[in-house]
Structures are given as C-alpha cells and as structure tokens.
Amino acid sequence: MTPTPATDLALTAAAERDRRFMALAQAAAEQAHALGEVPVGAVLVRGDEVIATGFNHPIGAHDPSAHAEMAALRAGSLALENYRLPGCELYVTLEPCIMCAGAIMHARIARVVFGAHDPKTGACGSVVDAFAIGNLNHHTSVTGGVLGDECANALRSFFAERRRAVREARDARNAVLPDSTDPLSIRS
C-alpha cells in the first residue's frame, strides 16, 4: 500500500496521541522517583479520556505487585466499577513484566503502549512475548518504543544516582573507620 497524505496524517496524529499519553506516564514515573522508587509510570486511557494513572511503589507499599501497571489497572477498575477494561489502552514507561502482562490480559486491555524496552524482565518481546501466545483467549496489541529514549534515560539516571549514593555512603563509612592494616591509624 502506497502512503497517501491522508494516511500519513492519520499516522502522525496517532503517533502524536501516543507521545502525549506517554508524557503523562512519564509524569507518573516522576512520582515514583520522588518516593525513591524505580521511576515507572502508567496511564490508563479510554478514547481520549484518562481513566487512571499509577506509578511504581512496591518498596513503600511492601507489595511486590505494586507496579505502575497494576496500580493503574486497580484504579481504573475502581473508577469504571468493572474488573474488565475493554476498549482501554495502557501507556507505561517501561515494557511490562510477565505479572503485569497477565493482569493486562485478564483486564481485557485492547492495547499496550510502552516506552523503554526491558532486557531483563520484559514480557512484550524483550525476554518473552506473552502477548503473542496464540492459545490465550484475549489478545492485546502492543506498541513499543514510544518516547523510548526519554523513558530509558530516566531509568538509567535513577540507577546511576542510586549507585552514586551507595558509593558515597560506603566511602563515608570507610573514611570514619580506622585502617586496621595501618598501625598508625589505630589509636586507643
């Protein structure tokens, strides 16, 4: 099919819509970052209406399932008073893991749009493609890489900051402790 100006315009409008909602997911990720959590954010959308947002908070919630996607799905289910969310799209700054992919399918989400690929736990093709399993009864379409560089940079920056803080704390501890191999540094 040869692109026409009308199809190019439609593709551009769809891509702009995806970037707009991903920017909202990035704002939700900033809430996680502010709490010291891994900065992942999610936005649940139906049509052009934001139904719910969520951000990663498993440490603060003492809940391994408190991922951004799960928080957005829970809030969306409460807002719509239904555990099924057909016709909804989920925008998330990081490729969903297998747990979140399962919840997304159970909620009947029509489409997932993610930013950064996750080479360690990604379930949209990076490690496993849960959404490509043909014998499942619900199929969610997936679009990856929307504002991918920006989303990945936010995560890289967070982890670099965390590593630097750990190094600084270790260096501060070591500066206070006497060197047991140096007889001149041990004073009684």
Side-chain angles (χ1 to χ4, degrees):
M1 179 174 137
T2 305
T4 66
T7 58
D8 285 348
L9 184 60
L11 291 173
T12 302
E16 181 53 39
R17 179 179 181 276
D18 284 351
R19 286 191 294 272
R20 181 169 39 97
F21 287 124
M22 187 60 70
L24 295 176
Q26 288 175 305
E30 285 302 315
Q31 292 179 276
H33 186 266
L35 295 173
E37 301 272 5
V38 176
V40 179
V43 175
L44 184 68
V45 174
R46 185 169 61 184
D48 280 330
E49 179 187 1
V50 173
I51 304 299
T53 63
F55 59 86
N56 201 43
H57 63 285
I59 297 167
H62 307 289
D63 179 359
S65 72
H67 289 193
E69 301 93 324
M70 302 295 276
L73 292 174
R74 287 178 181 134
S77 293
L78 289 171
L80 297 177
E81 298 180 338
N82 194 343
Y83 74 105
R84 296 259 168 95
L85 303 167
C88 290
E89 297 168 286
L90 185 67
Y91 289 81
V92 61
T93 58
L94 181 64
E95 180 180 0
C97 70
I98 194 76
M99 172 186 69
C100 293
I104 288 164
M105 285 185 266
H106 281 290
R108 304 298 195 258
I109 298 298
R111 180 173 176 244
V112 171
V113 180
F114 69 88
H117 290 268
D118 186 346
K120 294 184 179 181
T121 64
C124 297
S126 290
V127 176
V128 65
D129 194 347
F131 297 102
I133 300 170
N135 14 352
L136 295 175
N137 67 336
H138 177 71
H139 301 282
T140 299
S141 68
V142 176
T143 302
V146 174
L147 299 181
D149 289 341
E150 294 91 331
C151 293
N153 287 339
L155 288 159
R156 269 194 287 281
S157 174
F158 172 81
F159 286 112
E161 188 180 301
R162 182 184 271 182
R163 285 188 300 273
R164 185 179 34 70
V166 167
R167 265 193 315 275
E168 288 174 0
R170 182 188 62 230
D171 291 348
R173 274 193 320 273
N174 290 341
V176 174
L177 298 174
D179 182 357
S180 62
T181 62
D182 181 1
L184 298 177
S185 70
I186 302 174
R187 303 183 198 267
S188 302

Coordinates of all heavy atoms in Angstrom, one line a residue, residues 82-176:
N82 N -15.5 -2.0 37.2 CA -15.5 -3.2 36.5 C -14.1 -3.7 36.4 O -13.2 -3.0 36.2 CB -16.0 -3.0 35.0 CG -16.3 -4.2 34.3 OD1 -15.9 -5.3 34.7 ND2 -17.1 -4.1 33.2
Y83 N -13.9 -5.0 36.7 CA -12.6 -5.6 36.6 C -12.1 -5.8 35.2 O -10.9 -6.0 34.9 CB -12.5 -6.9 37.4 CG -13.2 -8.1 36.7 CD1 -12.4 -9.1 36.1 CD2 -14.6 -8.2 36.7 CE1 -13.0 -10.2 35.5 CE2 -15.2 -9.3 36.1 CZ -14.4 -10.3 35.5 OH -15.0 -11.4 34.9
R84 N -13.0 -5.7 34.2 CA -12.7 -5.8 32.8 C -12.7 -4.4 32.3 O -13.5 -3.6 32.6 CB -13.7 -6.6 32.1 CG -13.7 -8.1 32.5 CD -12.9 -9.0 31.5 NE -12.7 -10.3 32.0 CZ -13.4 -11.4 31.8 NH1 -14.5 -11.3 31.1 NH2 -13.1 -12.5 32.3
L85 N -11.7 -4.1 31.5 CA -11.5 -2.8 30.9 C -11.4 -2.8 29.4 O -10.4 -2.3 28.8 CB -10.2 -2.2 31.6 CG -10.2 -2.1 33.1 CD1 -8.8 -1.8 33.6 CD2 -11.2 -1.1 33.6
P86 N -12.4 -3.3 28.7 CA -12.3 -3.4 27.3 C -12.3 -2.0 26.7 O -12.9 -1.1 27.2 CB -13.5 -4.2 26.9 CG -14.5 -4.0 28.0 CD -13.6 -3.8 29.3
G87 N -11.6 -1.9 25.6 CA -11.5 -0.6 24.9 C -10.5 0.3 25.5 O -10.4 1.4 25.0
C88 N -9.9 -0.1 26.5 CA -8.9 0.8 27.2 C -7.5 0.5 26.6 O -7.2 -0.6 26.2 CB -8.9 0.6 28.7 SG -10.4 1.3 29.5
E89 N -6.7 1.5 26.7 CA -5.3 1.4 26.4 C -4.4 1.7 27.6 O -4.8 2.6 28.4 CB -4.9 2.4 25.2 CG -5.6 2.1 23.9 CD -5.4 3.3 23.0 OE1 -6.0 4.3 23.2 OE2 -4.7 3.1 22.0
L90 N -3.3 1.1 27.7 CA -2.4 1.3 28.9 C -1.1 1.8 28.3 O -0.4 1.1 27.5 CB -2.2 0.0 29.7 CG -1.4 0.2 31.0 CD1 -2.2 1.0 32.0 CD2 -1.1 -1.2 31.6
Y91 N -0.7 3.0 28.8 CA 0.6 3.6 28.4 C 1.5 3.4 29.6 O 1.1 3.8 30.7 CB 0.4 5.1 28.1 CG -0.3 5.3 26.8 CD1 -1.7 5.2 26.7 CD2 0.4 5.5 25.6 CE1 -2.3 5.4 25.5 CE2 -0.2 5.7 24.4 CZ -1.6 5.7 24.4 OH -2.2 5.8 23.2
V92 N 2.7 2.9 29.4 CA 3.6 2.6 30.5 C 5.0 2.9 30.1 O 5.4 2.6 28.9 CB 3.4 1.2 31.1 CG1 3.7 0.1 30.0 CG2 4.3 0.9 32.3
T93 N 5.8 3.5 30.9 CA 7.2 4.0 30.5 C 8.2 2.8 30.4 O 9.2 3.0 29.7 CB 7.7 5.0 31.6 OG1 7.7 4.4 32.9 CG2 6.9 6.2 31.6
L94 N 7.9 1.7 30.9 CA 8.8 0.5 30.8 C 8.0 -0.7 30.3 O 6.9 -0.9 30.8 CB 9.5 0.2 32.1 CG 10.4 -1.0 32.2 CD1 11.7 -0.7 31.3 CD2 10.9 -1.2 33.6
E95 N 8.6 -1.5 29.5 CA 7.9 -2.7 29.0 C 7.4 -3.5 30.2 O 8.1 -3.8 31.1 CB 8.9 -3.5 28.2 CG 8.4 -4.8 27.6 CD 9.5 -5.5 26.8 OE1 10.7 -5.0 26.7 OE2 9.2 -6.6 26.3
P96 N 6.1 -3.9 30.1 CA 5.6 -4.7 31.2 C 6.3 -6.0 31.5 O 6.8 -6.7 30.5 CB 4.1 -4.9 30.8 CG 3.8 -3.8 29.9 CD 5.1 -3.5 29.1
C97 N 6.3 -6.5 32.7 CA 6.8 -7.8 33.1 C 5.7 -8.8 32.9 O 4.6 -8.5 32.6 CB 7.3 -7.8 34.6 SG 5.9 -7.6 35.7
I98 N 6.0 -10.1 33.2 CA 5.1 -11.2 32.9 C 3.9 -11.0 33.9 O 2.7 -11.3 33.5 CB 5.8 -12.5 33.0 CG1 4.9 -13.6 32.4 CG2 6.2 -12.9 34.4 CD1 4.8 -13.6 30.9
M99 N 4.1 -10.6 35.1 CA 3.0 -10.4 36.0 C 2.0 -9.4 35.5 O 0.8 -9.6 35.5 CB 3.5 -10.0 37.4 CG 2.4 -9.6 38.4 SD 3.0 -8.9 39.9 CE 3.7 -7.3 39.4
C100 N 2.5 -8.2 35.1 CA 1.7 -7.2 34.6 C 1.0 -7.6 33.3 O -0.1 -7.2 33.0 CB 2.5 -5.9 34.4 SG 3.0 -5.2 36.0
A101 N 1.8 -8.3 32.4 CA 1.2 -8.8 31.2 C 0.0 -9.6 31.4 O -1.1 -9.5 30.8 CB 2.2 -9.5 30.3
G102 N 0.1 -10.5 32.4 CA -1.1 -11.4 32.8 C -2.3 -10.5 33.2 O -3.4 -10.8 32.8
A103 N -2.0 -9.6 34.1 CA -3.1 -8.7 34.6 C -3.7 -7.9 33.4 O -4.9 -7.7 33.4 CB -2.6 -7.8 35.7
I104 N -2.9 -7.4 32.5 CA -3.4 -6.7 31.4 C -4.3 -7.5 30.5 O -5.4 -7.1 30.1 CB -2.2 -6.2 30.5 CG1 -1.4 -5.0 31.3 CG2 -2.6 -5.7 29.1 CD1 0.0 -4.7 30.8
M105 N -3.9 -8.8 30.3 CA -4.8 -9.7 29.5 C -6.1 -10.0 30.3 O -7.1 -10.0 29.6 CB -4.0 -11.0 29.2 CG -3.0 -10.7 28.1 SD -2.2 -12.2 27.6 CE -0.7 -12.2 28.6
H106 N -6.0 -10.2 31.6 CA -7.2 -10.5 32.3 C -8.2 -9.3 32.3 O -9.4 -9.5 32.4 CB -6.9 -10.9 33.8 CG -6.4 -12.4 33.9 ND1 -7.3 -13.4 33.7 CD2 -5.2 -12.9 34.1 CE1 -6.6 -14.5 33.8 NE2 -5.4 -14.3 34.1
A107 N -7.6 -8.1 32.3 CA -8.4 -6.9 32.3 C -9.0 -6.6 30.9 O -9.8 -5.7 30.8 CB -7.6 -5.7 32.8
R108 N -8.5 -7.4 29.9 CA -9.0 -7.2 28.5 C -8.6 -5.9 27.9 O -9.4 -5.2 27.2 CB -10.5 -7.4 28.4 CG -11.1 -8.7 29.0 CD -10.5 -9.9 28.2 NE -11.3 -11.1 28.4 CZ -10.9 -12.1 29.2 NH1 -9.7 -12.0 29.9 NH2 -11.6 -13.2 29.3
I109 N -7.4 -5.4 28.3 CA -6.9 -4.1 27.7 C -6.7 -4.4 26.2 O -6.2 -5.4 25.8 CB -5.6 -3.8 28.4 CG1 -5.8 -3.5 29.9 CG2 -4.9 -2.6 27.7 CD1 -6.7 -2.4 30.2
A110 N -7.2 -3.4 25.4 CA -7.1 -3.5 24.0 C -5.7 -3.3 23.5 O -5.2 -4.0 22.5 CB -8.0 -2.5 23.3
R111 N -4.9 -2.4 24.1 CA -3.6 -2.1 23.5 C -2.7 -1.6 24.7 O -3.1 -0.9 25.6 CB -3.8 -1.0 22.5 CG -2.5 -0.5 21.9 CD -2.9 0.5 20.7 NE -1.7 1.1 20.2 CZ -1.4 2.4 20.2 NH1 -2.2 3.2 20.8 NH2 -0.3 2.8 19.6
V112 N -1.5 -2.0 24.6 CA -0.4 -1.6 25.5 C 0.6 -0.8 24.7 O 1.0 -1.2 23.6 CB 0.3 -2.7 26.2 CG1 1.5 -2.3 26.9 CG2 -0.6 -3.5 27.1
V113 N 1.0 0.4 25.2 CA 2.0 1.2 24.6 C 3.1 1.4 25.6 O 2.8 1.9 26.7 CB 1.4 2.6 24.1 CG1 2.5 3.4 23.4 CG2 0.2 2.4 23.2
F114 N 4.3 1.0 25.3 CA 5.4 1.2 26.3 C 6.5 2.0 25.7 O 6.7 2.1 24.5 CB 5.8 -0.1 26.9 CG 6.6 -1.0 25.9 CD1 8.0 -0.9 25.8 CD2 5.9 -2.0 25.2 CE1 8.7 -1.7 24.9 CE2 6.6 -2.8 24.3 CZ 8.0 -2.7 24.2
G115 N 7.3 2.6 26.6 CA 8.4 3.4 26.3 C 9.7 2.6 26.1 O 10.0 2.2 25.0
A116 N 10.4 2.4 27.2 CA 11.7 1.7 27.2 C 11.5 0.2 27.1 O 10.6 -0.4 27.8 CB 12.5 2.1 28.4
H117 N 12.3 -0.5 26.4 CA 12.4 -2.0 26.4 C 13.1 -2.4 27.7 O 13.9 -1.7 28.2 CB 13.1 -2.5 25.2 CG 12.4 -2.3 23.9 ND1 11.5 -3.2 23.4 CD2 12.3 -1.2 23.1 CE1 11.0 -2.8 22.2 NE2 11.5 -1.5 22.0
D118 N 12.7 -3.6 28.2 CA 13.3 -4.1 29.4 C 14.0 -5.4 29.1 O 13.3 -6.5 29.0 CB 12.2 -4.3 30.5 CG 12.8 -4.7 31.8 OD1 14.0 -5.1 31.9 OD2 12.1 -4.7 32.8
P119 N 15.3 -5.4 28.9 CA 16.0 -6.6 28.5 C 16.1 -7.7 29.6 O 16.6 -8.8 29.4 CB 17.4 -6.1 28.1 CG 17.6 -4.8 28.9 CD 16.2 -4.2 29.0
K120 N 15.7 -7.3 30.8 CA 15.8 -8.3 31.9 C 14.5 -9.0 32.2 O 14.4 -10.2 32.6 CB 16.3 -7.6 33.2 CG 17.8 -7.2 33.0 CD 18.3 -6.6 34.3 CE 19.8 -6.2 34.0 NZ 20.4 -5.6 35.2
T121 N 13.4 -8.3 32.2 CA 12.1 -8.9 32.5 C 10.9 -8.5 31.6 O 9.8 -8.8 31.9 CB 11.6 -8.4 34.0 OG1 11.4 -7.0 34.0 CG2 12.7 -8.8 35.0
G122 N 11.2 -8.0 30.4 CA 10.2 -7.5 29.5 C 9.4 -8.7 28.9 O 9.9 -9.7 28.4
A123 N 8.1 -8.5 29.0 CA 7.2 -9.6 28.5 C 6.4 -9.2 27.3 O 5.4 -9.8 26.9 CB 6.2 -10.0 29.6
C124 N 7.0 -8.2 26.5 CA 6.4 -7.8 25.3 C 7.3 -8.1 24.1 O 7.3 -7.4 23.1 CB 6.0 -6.3 25.3 SG 4.7 -5.9 26.5
G125 N 8.2 -9.0 24.3 CA 9.2 -9.4 23.3 C 10.6 -9.3 23.7 O 11.5 -10.0 23.0
S126 N 11.0 -8.6 24.7 CA 12.4 -8.5 25.1 C 12.9 -9.8 25.7 O 14.0 -10.2 25.3 CB 12.6 -7.3 26.0 OG 12.5 -6.1 25.4
V127 N 12.2 -10.4 26.6 CA 12.6 -11.6 27.2 C 11.6 -12.7 26.7 O 12.0 -13.8 26.3 CB 12.6 -11.5 28.7 CG1 12.9 -12.9 29.3 CG2 13.7 -10.5 29.1
V128 N 10.4 -12.4 26.8 CA 9.3 -13.3 26.4 C 8.2 -12.5 25.8 O 8.1 -11.3 26.1 CB 8.7 -14.1 27.6 CG1 8.1 -13.3 28.7 CG2 7.8 -15.2 27.2
D129 N 7.4 -13.0 24.9 CA 6.3 -12.2 24.4 C 5.0 -12.9 24.8 O 4.4 -13.7 24.1 CB 6.4 -12.1 22.9 CG 5.5 -11.1 22.3 OD1 4.6 -10.6 23.0 OD2 5.7 -10.7 21.1
A130 N 4.5 -12.5 25.9 CA 3.3 -13.0 26.5 C 2.1 -12.7 25.6 O 1.1 -13.5 25.5 CB 3.0 -12.5 27.9
F131 N 2.1 -11.6 24.9 CA 1.0 -11.2 24.1 C 0.9 -11.9 22.7 O 0.0 -11.7 22.0 CB 1.0 -9.7 23.9 CG 0.9 -8.9 25.2 CD1 2.0 -8.4 25.8 CD2 -0.3 -8.8 25.8 CE1 1.9 -7.7 27.0 CE2 -0.5 -8.2 27.0 CZ 0.6 -7.6 27.6
A132 N 2.0 -12.7 22.4 CA 2.0 -13.4 21.2 C 1.6 -14.9 21.3 O 1.6 -15.6 20.3 CB 3.4 -13.4 20.6
I133 N 1.2 -15.3 22.5 CA 0.7 -16.6 22.8 C -0.7 -16.8 22.2 O -1.7 -16.3 22.7 CB 0.7 -17.0 24.3 CG1 2.2 -16.8 24.8 CG2 0.2 -18.4 24.5 CD1 2.3 -16.9 26.3
G134 N -0.7 -17.6 21.1 CA -1.9 -17.7 20.3 C -3.1 -18.4 21.0 O -4.3 -18.1 20.7
N135 N -2.8 -19.3 21.9 CA -3.9 -20.1 22.5 C -4.6 -19.3 23.7 O -5.6 -19.8 24.2 CB -3.6 -21.5 22.9 CG -2.2 -21.8 23.0 OD1 -1.3 -21.1 22.6 ND2 -1.9 -23.0 23.5
L136 N -4.2 -18.1 24.0 CA -4.9 -17.4 25.0 C -6.1 -16.8 24.4 O -6.2 -16.5 23.2 CB -4.0 -16.3 25.6 CG -2.7 -16.7 26.3 CD1 -1.9 -15.5 26.7 CD2 -3.1 -17.5 27.6
N137 N -7.1 -16.6 25.3 CA -8.4 -16.2 24.7 C -8.6 -14.7 24.5 O -9.5 -14.2 24.0 CB -9.6 -16.7 25.6 CG -9.6 -16.0 27.0 OD1 -8.6 -15.6 27.5 ND2 -10.7 -16.0 27.6
H138 N -7.6 -13.9 25.0 CA -7.7 -12.4 24.8 C -6.3 -12.0 24.2 O -5.3 -12.4 24.6 CB -7.9 -11.7 26.1 CG -7.9 -10.2 25.8 ND1 -8.9 -9.5 25.2 CD2 -7.0 -9.2 26.2 CE1 -8.7 -8.3 25.1 NE2 -7.5 -8.1 25.7
H139 N -6.4 -11.1 23.2 CA -5.2 -10.7 22.6 C -5.1 -9.1 22.6 O -6.1 -8.4 22.2 CB -5.1 -11.2 21.1 CG -5.2 -12.6 21.1 ND1 -4.1 -13.4 21.3 CD2 -6.2 -13.5 20.9 CE1 -4.4 -14.7 21.3 NE2 -5.7 -14.8 21.0
T140 N -4.0 -8.7 23.2 CA -3.8 -7.2 23.3 C -2.7 -6.8 22.3 O -1.7 -7.5 22.2 CB -3.2 -7.0 24.8 OG1 -4.2 -7.4 25.7 CG2 -2.9 -5.5 25.0
S141 N -3.0 -5.8 21.6 CA -1.9 -5.3 20.7 C -0.9 -4.5 21.5 O -1.2 -3.9 22.5 CB -2.5 -4.5 19.5 OG -3.0 -3.3 20.0
V142 N 0.3 -4.5 21.0 CA 1.4 -3.9 21.7 C 2.2 -2.9 20.7 O 2.5 -3.3 19.6 CB 2.4 -4.9 22.2 CG1 3.6 -4.3 22.9 CG2 1.7 -5.9 23.2
T143 N 2.5 -1.8 21.2 CA 3.4 -0.8 20.5 C 4.5 -0.4 21.5 O 4.2 0.0 22.6 CB 2.6 0.5 20.1 OG1 1.5 0.1 19.3 CG2 3.5 1.4 19.4
G144 N 5.7 -0.6 21.1 CA 6.8 -0.3 22.0 C 7.7 0.8 21.4 O 7.7 1.1 20.2
G145 N 8.5 1.4 22.3 CA 9.5 2.4 21.9 C 9.0 3.8 21.8 O 9.7 4.7 21.4
V146 N 7.7 4.1 22.3 CA 7.2 5.4 22.2 C 7.9 6.3 23.3 O 7.9 5.9 24.5 CB 5.7 5.5 22.4 CG1 5.2 6.9 22.5 CG2 5.0 4.7 21.3
L147 N 8.6 7.3 22.9 CA 9.5 8.1 23.8 C 10.5 7.2 24.5 O 10.8 7.4 25.7 CB 8.7 8.9 24.8 CG 7.7 10.0 24.2 CD1 7.0 10.8 25.3 CD2 8.4 10.9 23.2
G148 N 10.9 6.2 23.8 CA 11.7 5.1 24.4 C 13.0 5.6 24.9 O 13.4 5.2 26.0
D149 N 13.7 6.5 24.2 CA 15.0 7.1 24.7 C 14.8 7.9 26.0 O 15.5 7.7 26.9 CB 15.6 7.9 23.6 CG 16.2 7.1 22.5 OD1 16.4 5.9 22.6 OD2 16.4 7.7 21.4
E150 N 13.8 8.7 26.0 CA 13.5 9.5 27.2 C 13.2 8.6 28.4 O 13.6 8.9 29.5 CB 12.3 10.5 26.9 CG 12.7 11.6 25.9 CD 12.3 11.2 24.5 OE1 12.3 10.0 24.1 OE2 12.0 12.1 23.7
C151 N 12.3 7.6 28.2 CA 12.0 6.7 29.3 C 13.2 5.9 29.8 O 13.4 5.8 31.0 CB 10.9 5.7 28.8 SG 9.3 6.5 28.5
A152 N 14.0 5.4 28.8 CA 15.2 4.7 29.2 C 16.2 5.6 29.9 O 16.8 5.2 30.9 CB 15.9 4.1 28.0
N153 N 16.3 6.8 29.5 CA 17.3 7.8 30.1 C 16.8 8.1 31.6 O 17.7 8.2 32.5 CB 17.4 9.1 29.3 CG 18.2 8.9 28.1 OD1 19.0 7.9 27.9 ND2 18.0 9.7 27.1
A154 N 15.5 8.2 31.8 CA 15.1 8.4 33.2 C 15.4 7.2 34.1 O 15.9 7.4 35.2 CB 13.6 8.6 33.2
L155 N 15.3 6.0 33.6 CA 15.7 4.9 34.4 C 17.2 4.8 34.6 O 17.6 4.5 35.7 CB 15.2 3.6 33.7 CG 13.6 3.4 33.8 CD1 13.2 2.5 32.7 CD2 13.2 2.9 35.1
R156 N 18.0 5.0 33.5 CA 19.4 5.0 33.6 C 19.9 6.0 34.7 O 20.7 5.8 35.5 CB 20.1 5.3 32.3 CG 20.4 4.0 31.5 CD 21.3 4.3 30.3 NE 20.7 5.0 29.2 CZ 19.9 4.5 28.3 NH1 19.6 3.2 28.4 NH2 19.4 5.2 27.4
S157 N 19.3 7.2 34.6 CA 19.7 8.3 35.5 C 19.4 7.9 37.0 O 20.2 8.1 37.9 CB 18.9 9.6 35.1 OG 19.2 10.6 36.0
F158 N 18.2 7.3 37.2 CA 17.8 6.9 38.5 C 18.8 5.9 39.1 O 19.3 6.0 40.2 CB 16.4 6.3 38.5 CG 16.0 5.6 39.8 CD1 15.5 6.4 40.8 CD2 16.1 4.3 40.0 CE1 15.1 5.8 42.0 CE2 15.7 3.7 41.2 CZ 15.3 4.4 42.2
F159 N 19.2 4.9 38.3 CA 20.1 3.8 38.8 C 21.5 4.4 38.9 O 22.2 4.0 39.9 CB 20.0 2.6 37.9 CG 18.8 1.8 38.1 CD1 17.8 1.7 37.2 CD2 18.5 1.2 39.4 CE1 16.6 1.0 37.4 CE2 17.3 0.5 39.6 CZ 16.4 0.4 38.6
A160 N 21.9 5.3 38.1 CA 23.2 5.9 38.3 C 23.3 6.7 39.6 O 24.2 6.7 40.3 CB 23.6 6.8 37.1
E161 N 22.2 7.4 39.8 CA 22.1 8.2 41.0 C 22.1 7.3 42.3 O 22.8 7.6 43.3 CB 20.7 9.0 41.0 CG 20.4 10.0 42.0 CD 19.1 10.6 41.7 OE1 18.9 11.2 40.7 OE2 18.2 10.5 42.6
R162 N 21.4 6.2 42.2 CA 21.4 5.2 43.3 C 22.7 4.6 43.5 O 23.2 4.5 44.7 CB 20.3 4.1 43.0 CG 20.2 3.1 44.1 CD 19.3 2.0 43.8 NE 17.9 2.4 44.2 CZ 16.9 1.5 44.0 NH1 17.1 0.4 43.5 NH2 15.7 1.9 44.4
R163 N 23.4 4.3 42.4 CA 24.8 3.7 42.6 C 25.7 4.7 43.2 O 26.6 4.4 44.1 CB 25.3 3.2 41.3 CG 24.7 1.9 40.8 CD 25.4 1.3 39.6 NE 25.4 2.2 38.4 CZ 24.4 2.3 37.5 NH1 23.3 1.5 37.7 NH2 24.4 3.1 36.5
R164 N 25.6 6.0 42.8 CA 26.5 7.1 43.3 C 26.2 7.2 44.8 O 27.1 7.4 45.6 CB 26.2 8.4 42.6 CG 27.1 9.5 43.0 CD 27.0 10.8 42.3 NE 25.6 11.2 41.9 CZ 24.6 11.6 42.6 NH1 24.7 11.5 43.9 NH2 23.5 11.9 42.1
A165 N 25.0 7.2 45.2 CA 24.6 7.4 46.6 C 25.2 6.2 47.5 O 25.7 6.4 48.6 CB 23.1 7.5 46.8
V166 N 25.1 5.0 46.9 CA 25.7 3.8 47.6 C 27.2 4.0 47.8 O 27.7 3.7 48.9 CB 25.3 2.5 46.9 CG1 26.1 1.3 47.4 CG2 23.8 2.2 47.1
R167 N 27.8 4.4 46.7 CA 29.3 4.6 46.8 C 29.7 5.7 47.8 O 30.6 5.5 48.6 CB 29.8 5.1 45.4 CG 30.4 4.0 44.5 CD 31.1 4.5 43.3 NE 30.5 5.6 42.6 CZ 29.6 5.4 41.6 NH1 29.2 4.3 41.3 NH2 29.1 6.5 41.0
E168 N 28.9 6.8 47.8 CA 29.2 7.9 48.7 C 29.0 7.4 50.2 O 29.8 7.8 51.0 CB 28.3 9.1 48.4 CG 28.8 9.8 47.2 CD 27.8 10.9 46.8 OE1 26.8 11.2 47.5 OE2 28.1 11.6 45.7
A169 N 28.0 6.7 50.4 CA 27.7 6.1 51.8 C 28.8 5.2 52.2 O 29.3 5.3 53.3 CB 26.4 5.4 51.8
R170 N 29.3 4.3 51.3 CA 30.4 3.4 51.6 C 31.7 4.2 51.8 O 32.4 3.9 52.8 CB 30.6 2.4 50.4 CG 31.7 1.4 50.6 CD 32.0 0.6 49.4 NE 32.5 1.4 48.4 CZ 32.0 1.5 47.1 NH1 31.0 0.7 46.8 NH2 32.5 2.3 46.2
D171 N 31.9 5.2 51.0 CA 33.2 6.0 51.2 C 33.1 6.7 52.5 O 34.1 6.9 53.2 CB 33.3 7.0 50.0 CG 33.7 6.2 48.7 OD1 34.0 5.0 48.7 OD2 33.6 6.9 47.6
A172 N 32.0 7.2 52.9 CA 31.8 8.0 54.2 C 32.1 7.0 55.3 O 32.7 7.4 56.3 CB 30.4 8.6 54.3
R173 N 31.5 5.8 55.2 CA 31.8 4.8 56.3 C 33.2 4.5 56.4 O 33.8 4.4 57.5 CB 31.0 3.5 56.0 CG 29.6 3.5 56.5 CD 29.0 2.1 56.5 NE 29.3 1.3 55.4 CZ 28.6 1.3 54.2 NH1 27.6 2.1 54.1 NH2 29.0 0.6 53.2
N174 N 33.9 4.3 55.3 CA 35.3 3.9 55.2 C 36.2 5.0 55.7 O 37.2 4.8 56.3 CB 35.7 3.5 53.8 CG 35.1 2.1 53.4 OD1 34.6 1.4 54.3 ND2 35.0 1.9 52.1
A175 N 35.8 6.3 55.5 CA 36.6 7.4 56.0 C 36.6 7.5 57.5 O 37.5 8.0 58.1 CB 36.0 8.7 55.4
V176 N 35.5 7.0 58.1 CA 35.4 7.1 59.6 C 36.1 5.9 60.3 O 36.6 6.1 61.4 CB 33.9 7.1 60.0 CG1 33.7 7.0 61.5 CG2 33.2 8.3 59.4

